[in-house]
Amino acid sequence: MKLVCTQSDLSTNLSLTSRAVPSRPTHPVLANVLLQADAETNQVSLTGFDLSLGIRTSLNAEVIQGGAIAIPAKLLNDITSRLSEGEITLEDESADSNTPSSEGLIVTLTSKSGRYQVRAMGGEEFPELPLIENTQATQLQATALIEGLRGSLFATSPDETKQVLTGVHLTVDQDSLEFAATDGHRLAVVQTTNENPDTGYEGKLEVTLPARTLRELERMLAHNSSQEELVALYFDQGQVVFEWQNQRLTSRTLEGPYPAYSMLIPRQFQRELTLDRKQFLSALERIAVLADQKNNIVKLSLDNAAQGITLSCESQDVGSAMESMAAQISGEDIDIAFNIKYLMEGIKALPSSEIQMQLNTNLTPVIFTPLGGLKMTYLAMPVQLRGV
Amino acid sequence: MKLVCTQSDLSTNLSLTSRAVPSRPTHPVLANVLLQADAETNQVSLTGFDLSLGIRTSLNAEVIQGGAIAIPAKLLNDITSRLSEGEITLEDESADSNTPSSEGLIVTLTSKSGRYQVRAMGGEEFPELPLIENTQATQLQATALIEGLRGSLFATSPDETKQVLTGVHLTVDQDSLEFAATDGHRLAVVQTTNENPDTGYEGKLEVTLPARTLRELERMLAHNSSQEELVALYFDQGQVVFEWQNQRLTSRTLEGPYPAYSMLIPRQFQRELTLDRKQFLSALERIAVLADQKNNIVKLSLDNAAQGITLSCESQDVGSAMESMAAQISGEDIDIAFNIKYLMEGIKALPSSEIQMQLNTNLTPVIFTPLGGLKMTYLAMPVQLRGV
């Protein structure tokens, strides 16, 4: 294999692909990036794969001799990113000409001022990225994907034993896309319209994907796609593939039934508030300084007569905090308590300057929604107040 | 005690002072910041002190009732920094009116929208900052101090058992300031002129100060002093005080004789090189990617005929790296090896675009100096090359 490319192309694509390279690989070959050079098309593809998440990107190069080789990802990325602009030549050779096996492969990187030789492995040792054939692609808008992921990813569970709750549940319908995530304590649902109705499926497509994969997808789309971009989604048993431009991301799916979350969302409410989101969030952030010291519980007291709410927390050993702010309130006065971290995360993710809070009692689910803009629902369960 | 001040004044000064508050205090009161309010001058001073480093700053306030109180530094800083601009009232009271001891002290912070109460301690429980009286101040220029610290701090030893080597040795003469630091493997010396010859001392003042203290001094001066600023240095047995504007930093000194470092610096050389600093540094940074994998050793080969040098490293299991660059060389060809981390740190700190490297053999000290600008000397010991 031998190719010539620019430092910036190689470095950009290596840093993208390296996100799928595990830092503690279960098998040595997975610490590599697979480089495949095609002499006919003058295309070079780079692949990182941890057996769950796979990222493949491609770049233009002058491919003098085609081939495939697996190169230590971190080393190659660290060297390439530190090189100055200009042309780079990559070439492989057997380290020991008597035993031209892949055991003794050496790849040589030559730049204007330097020459680097790194031990590599044969391309054939690198596992194949999942291929999905014979299914039609569903076209999704990049912007809808980004919005949906931003509004849901934060509510997934970080606890690996929680199975499907570690992922986002995606529902693709003829003209809509729905994202849902819950860790058992709160629930975030985002509904976006998908203006390209070519789903490729009859009826609905439902799939739960790992949060880790989707975070990478969001990152890649946010950095490397235009507003109008369409992303092709391929789905087959146990695997999905997202594909756009010269980028491809593959992911295993999370198996098992996802909770019937829409049944959890109340439809009628005895109390309704409209709040300024930023003001509410910064009051919460200050209260959190003291709530952090104790049990992370904040109490909200609704005062209909004053059309305002009071946020407070007590931490016997350390002190107490109290904040007041205006709110449009309908319904009777009530005290209700939340885990302040869940409350803050949800309020942070709501994409509007004013938000609505809807509730019935202080022991039933509470709903937060943006006023205008994206259709998002954040559900938080109150916690019981001692002695109230 | 009762006072009114602005959020920005209090927050800025708290974050400065908090740098001297230990995260794991040896005594509970040290987790506090001491707040002293003077009703006559309408000045409030804030003090953080870990018994080695002390920082005191002051701000203007409307002091309604004077007094002193020790308030948990992290809590107060976290709350204040999250408040929006505007006036803040601070007031103390006994938590239990029957026992007005400092045990039950509560400080109340009131802002436009909120009210925070935090358990505090009496000001009298906070240890006194070291006072140095009856000695005349030595006036130092802030810029000279900043330059000297930047050029020396990095070469101190992080190993607490190394005593004086964990500090920078400062020599104040009638018209010069010298900073020296060494960890036993390399040495950095910066000489600056001190244009204000009022040293306050007959003869030389020599003192070794902990790197941790001086890092804070550099930070504070870089952020909060003008070019022309004069810093007063007071020195007494075991303690120094730096004072400027409304800021004061106190530090214990490191006791014990400092190595006679100037004797280590060779004065005559068989070989001399002139190098482009940035080019040399980025070549080193690339080589370091591979050197990191092994023993951190880089080999420099001087080629007088070609007027160039080659940097290289070999790491049997991983690969090898080589970089070449132009250099003006006088003297015979030689191979010489260094710990690449020491080399990079020194080259990074040199403040000029071209640098000079001077050496005799590959086993004797090598000197790096900037061409023009600040007078700085960086000495690195070569390491032995196996099989050379």
Side-chain angles (χ1 to χ4, degrees):
Chain A
M1 186 213 67
K2 184 173 182 182
L3 64 95
V4 181
C5 64
T6 67
Q7 180 271 341
S8 60
D9 280 353
L10 186 60
S11 179
T12 309
N13 284 283
L14 273 174
S15 69
L16 274 175
T17 319
S18 294
R19 308 273 312 176
V21 176
S23 49
R24 287 187 217 86
T26 51
H27 189 283
V29 77
L30 298 179
N32 292 280
V33 61
L34 173 67
L35 188 150
Q36 291 170 298
D38 186 331
E40 277 179 37
T41 59
N42 275 318
Q43 284 281 306
V44 172
S45 82
L46 300 172
T47 307
F49 189 31
D50 67 6
L51 300 182
S52 166
L53 164 68
I55 297 177
R56 174 169 294 170
T57 69
S58 65
L59 57 135
N60 295 318
E62 184 193 342
V63 179
I64 294 150
Q65 194 192 334
I69 188 168
I71 311 176
K74 189 170 173 346
L75 268 189
L76 186 62
N77 193 15
D78 286 353
I79 294 168
T80 307
S81 64
R82 284 167 178 75
L83 284 169
S84 47
E85 273 283 1
E87 282 194 344
I88 290 176
T89 306
L90 276 174
E91 191 171 6
D92 65 355
E93 58 192 299
S94 286
D96 181 345
S97 52
N98 295 322
T99 58
S101 75
S102 73
E103 279 298 304
L105 264 183
I106 292 272
V107 63
T108 302
L109 182 158
T110 316
S111 72
K112 203 175 52 186
S113 65
R115 188 157 162 275
Y116 297 82
Q117 295 198 303
V118 175
R119 283 189 178 271
M121 294 171 91
E124 71 288 352
E125 299 190 42
F126 201 86
E128 289 285 340
L129 268 203
L131 250 185
I132 298 181
E133 284 172 341
N134 302 325
T135 68
Q136 215 188 318
T138 304
Q139 300 293 334
L140 307 177
Q141 289 177 294
T143 42
L145 265 173
I146 295 172
E147 279 180 347
L149 294 173
R150 278 201 186 137
S152 57
L153 271 168
F154 72 94
T156 56
S157 173
D159 177 356
E160 281 303 327
T161 67
K162 290 281 185 72
Q163 315 251 354
V164 288
L165 300 193
T166 63
V168 171
H169 189 69
L170 194 61
T171 309
V172 186
D173 216 332
Q174 293 301 320
D175 53 1
S176 74
L177 253 178
E178 185 166 299
F179 301 77
T182 176
D183 60 4
H185 302 288
R186 42 39 188 298
L187 164 71
V189 181
V190 180
Q191 286 164 316
T192 69
T193 52
N194 193 35
E195 285 167 18
N196 193 306
D198 173 17
T199 66
Y201 292 89
E202 308 280 326
K204 279 202 286 194
L205 160 62
E206 292 197 63
V207 62
T208 310
L209 299 175
R212 186 181 159 229
T213 300
L214 294 175
R215 285 203 185 92
E216 293 306 329
L217 180 65
E218 190 206 335
R219 251 179 79 96
M220 288 174 76
L221 288 174
H223 286 84
N224 307 292
S225 73
S226 62
Q227 297 277 321
E228 309 299 319
E229 191 94 45
L230 285 178
V231 177
L233 167 64
Y234 299 89
F235 171 54
D236 203 356
Q237 16 184 0
Q239 290 290 341
V240 291
V241 176
F242 293 91
E243 217 174 59
W244 70 103
Q245 287 177 17
N246 55 353
Q247 324 223 346
R248 178 193 293 186
L249 182 145
T250 73
S251 171
R252 72 182 171 98
T253 60
L254 293 171
E255 294 305 318
Y258 199 78
Y261 58 84
S262 60
M263 292 169 59
L264 302 174
I265 304 174
R267 304 293 161 191
Q268 289 193 320
F269 302 96
Q270 295 162 20
R271 296 173 173 88
E272 219 170 87
L273 288 80
T274 303
L275 296 162
D276 182 277
R277 189 179 69 91
K278 278 207 180 139
Q279 199 184 346
F280 189 42
L281 184 59
S282 48
L284 284 170
E285 282 168 346
R286 291 191 289 272
I287 301 275
V289 175
L290 273 124
D292 256 358
Q293 304 287 317
K294 187 82 183 291
N295 51 11
N296 277 313
I297 289 176
V298 60
K299 183 170 87 174
L300 265 64
S301 306
L302 276 57
D303 185 341
N304 189 322
Q307 289 287 299
I309 59 168
T310 302
L311 295 74
S312 60
C313 96
E314 294 260 357
S315 158
Q316 192 102 51
D317 307 334
V318 185
S320 63
M322 197 205 73
E323 286 274 348
S324 305
M325 65 177 280
Q328 293 166 41
I329 303 180
S330 68
E332 286 171 36
D333 292 356
I334 197 172
D335 286 353
I336 184 168
F338 294 94
N339 179 312
I340 197 164
K341 292 192 189 263
Y342 291 149
L343 207 50
M344 284 195 294
E345 284 184 12
I347 303 305
K348 233 177 245 174
L350 288 171
S352 64
S353 62
E354 284 201 312
I355 58 172
Q356 199 160 51
M357 170 175 170
Q358 296 168 300
L359 65 150
N360 290 303
T361 74
N362 55 18
L363 292 172
T364 53
V366 178
I367 298 297
F368 296 87
T369 47
L371 277 182
L374 194 67
K375 201 163 168 209
M376 171 168 173
T377 305
Y378 185 66
L379 180 153
M381 278 306 293
V383 295
Q384 202 151 3
L385 269 172
R386 276 180 317 171
V388 177
Chain B
M1 185 214 65
K2 183 173 183 181
L3 65 94
V4 182
C5 65
T6 67
Q7 180 271 341
S8 59
D9 280 355
L10 186 59
S11 179
T12 309
N13 284 283
L14 272 173
S15 69
L16 273 175
T17 319
S18 294
R19 309 272 312 176
V21 177
S23 50
R24 288 188 218 86
T26 51
H27 189 282
V29 77
L30 298 180
N32 293 278
V33 61
L34 173 67
L35 187 151
Q36 292 169 297
D38 185 330
E40 276 179 37
T41 59
N42 276 317
Q43 285 282 307
V44 171
S45 82
L46 299 172
T47 307
F49 188 31
D50 68 6
L51 300 181
S52 166
L53 165 67
I55 297 177
R56 174 169 294 170
T57 70
S58 64
L59 58 134
N60 296 318
E62 183 193 342
V63 179
I64 295 151
Q65 195 193 332
I69 187 167
I71 311 176
K74 186 167 174 354
L75 269 188
L76 186 62
N77 193 14
D78 285 353
I79 294 168
T80 308
S81 64
R82 284 166 178 76
L83 284 168
S84 47
E85 274 281 1
E87 282 195 344
I88 290 177
T89 306
L90 275 175
E91 191 171 6
D92 65 355
E93 59 191 298
S94 286
D96 181 344
S97 54
N98 295 321
T99 57
S101 75
S102 74
E103 280 297 305
L105 264 184
I106 292 274
V107 63
T108 303
L109 182 158
T110 315
S111 72
K112 203 173 53 185
S113 66
R115 189 156 161 275
Y116 298 82
Q117 294 198 305
V118 174
R119 283 190 179 270
M121 294 172 91
E124 71 286 352
E125 298 189 41
F126 200 87
E128 289 284 339
L129 269 203
L131 250 184
I132 298 182
E133 285 172 341
N134 302 326
T135 67
Q136 215 186 319
T138 303
Q139 300 293 334
L140 307 176
Q141 286 177 298
T143 42
L145 265 173
I146 295 172
E147 279 180 349
L149 293 174
R150 279 202 185 135
S152 58
L153 270 169
F154 72 94
T156 56
S157 172
D159 177 355
E160 281 303 326
T161 66
K162 290 281 186 70
Q163 314 250 355
V164 289
L165 300 193
T166 63
V168 171
H169 189 71
L170 194 61
T171 309
V172 186
D173 217 332
Q174 293 301 318
D175 52 1
S176 74
L177 253 177
E178 185 166 299
F179 302 77
T182 176
D183 61 4
H185 304 286
R186 39 45 186 294
L187 163 72
V189 181
V190 179
Q191 287 164 315
T192 69
T193 51
N194 192 36
E195 286 168 17
N196 193 306
D198 175 17
T199 66
Y201 292 90
E202 307 281 325
K204 280 203 283 193
L205 159 64
E206 290 197 65
V207 62
T208 310
L209 299 176
R212 187 183 157 229
T213 300
L214 294 175
R215 283 203 186 92
E216 292 306 327
L217 180 65
E218 189 205 338
R219 250 179 80 93
M220 288 174 76
L221 288 174
H223 286 84
N224 306 291
S225 73
S226 61
Q227 296 278 322
E228 309 299 317
E229 191 95 44
L230 284 178
V231 176
L233 166 64
Y234 299 87
F235 171 54
D236 202 356
Q237 14 183 1
Q239 291 290 341
V240 291
V241 176
F242 293 91
E243 216 173 59
W244 70 103
Q245 286 177 17
N246 55 353
Q247 322 222 348
R248 176 193 296 186
L249 183 146
T250 71
S251 170
R252 72 183 170 96
T253 60
L254 293 171
E255 295 305 317
Y258 198 79
Y261 58 85
S262 59
M263 291 169 59
L264 303 174
I265 304 173
R267 305 292 160 190
Q268 289 192 322
F269 302 97
Q270 295 163 19
R271 296 172 174 89
E272 219 169 86
L273 288 79
T274 303
L275 295 162
D276 181 278
R277 189 178 70 91
K278 278 204 180 144
Q279 198 185 348
F280 188 43
L281 184 58
S282 48
L284 285 170
E285 282 167 346
R286 291 192 289 272
I287 301 276
V289 174
L290 273 125
D292 257 358
Q293 305 287 318
K294 188 82 183 291
N295 52 11
N296 276 312
I297 289 175
V298 60
K299 182 170 88 173
L300 265 65
S301 305
L302 277 56
D303 185 342
N304 190 322
Q307 288 288 299
I309 59 169
T310 301
L311 295 74
S312 61
C313 94
E314 294 261 357
S315 157
Q316 191 101 51
D317 307 333
V318 185
S320 63
M322 198 206 72
E323 287 273 348
S324 306
M325 65 176 280
Q328 293 167 40
I329 303 180
S330 68
E332 285 170 37
D333 292 355
I334 196 172
D335 287 352
I336 184 168
F338 294 94
N339 179 312
I340 196 165
K341 292 192 189 267
Y342 291 150
L343 206 50
M344 285 195 294
E345 285 183 11
I347 304 304
K348 231 177 248 176
L350 289 171
S352 64
S353 62
E354 285 201 313
I355 58 172
Q356 199 161 53
M357 171 176 169
Q358 296 168 300
L359 65 150
N360 290 303
T361 74
N362 55 17
L363 292 172
T364 52
V366 178
I367 298 298
F368 296 88
T369 47
L371 276 183
L374 194 68
K375 200 162 170 212
M376 172 167 171
T377 306
Y378 185 66
L379 179 154
M381 278 305 293
V383 295
Q384 202 150 3
L385 268 172
R386 275 179 318 172
V388 176

